[in-house]
Amino acid sequence: MARTLLRVPATATRGEVVEIRTLIQHPMETGFRSGENGRMLERDIIRRFTCLYNNRPVFEAELHPAIAANPYLTFSLRVEESGILAFTWEGDNGFSQTETRALTVA
């Protein structure tokens, strides 16, 4: 399991625009480099990031080999109700990781 860092406010007011920040530690090997033995390293990247808010998609990103290791993504979200944010990273070799955070709207 990869280490993630999520910055999500615990509370917000109805209609407020909040900033969401995500980071996941992942080597993001492009598949274009050769290893110590001279053979090409197998591609291993995160290909897709999705954020659901109460099971509705609010942000999606398709990632490609040019993305940096440990991808950092930030986006804004207008909140109208309390709920759960679910962050999912999907990648090569069957990689998938989901983290959740609660957000209370007053």
Side-chain angles (χ1 to χ4, degrees):
M1 184 170 271
R3 181 173 175 235
T4 61
L5 297 173
L6 300 170
R7 187 168 288 228
V8 177
T11 60
T13 57
R14 187 172 312 279
E16 182 179 356
V17 176
V18 297
E19 183 179 62
I20 310 292
R21 298 182 199 177
T22 70
L23 179 122
I24 187 166
Q25 288 187 333
H26 193 278
M28 300 295 278
E29 183 54 58
T30 65
F32 297 119
R33 294 183 322 130
S34 55
E36 293 178 10
N37 60 4
R39 296 174 66 196
M40 296 300 277
L41 297 171
E42 183 179 354
R43 186 178 109 153
D44 185 14
I45 67 168
I46 294 175
R47 296 181 323 248
R48 185 170 181 76
F49 171 79
T50 306
C51 178
L52 303 178
Y53 184 43
N54 290 337
N55 293 320
R56 292 185 305 268
V58 293
F59 184 83
E60 295 178 334
E62 292 286 332
L63 306 177
H64 300 277
I67 194 79
N70 306 326
Y72 171 79
L73 298 167
T74 183
F75 59 96
S76 298
L77 173 66
R78 178 189 290 231
V79 294
E80 297 294 336
E81 61 188 5
S82 297
I84 301 294
L85 288 157
F87 305 91
T88 302
W89 294 264
E90 299 172 67
D92 292 333
N93 307 315
F95 177 82
S96 181
Q97 184 164 334
T98 300
E99 302 284 337
T100 60
R101 294 293 185 274
L103 177 59
T104 302
V105 175

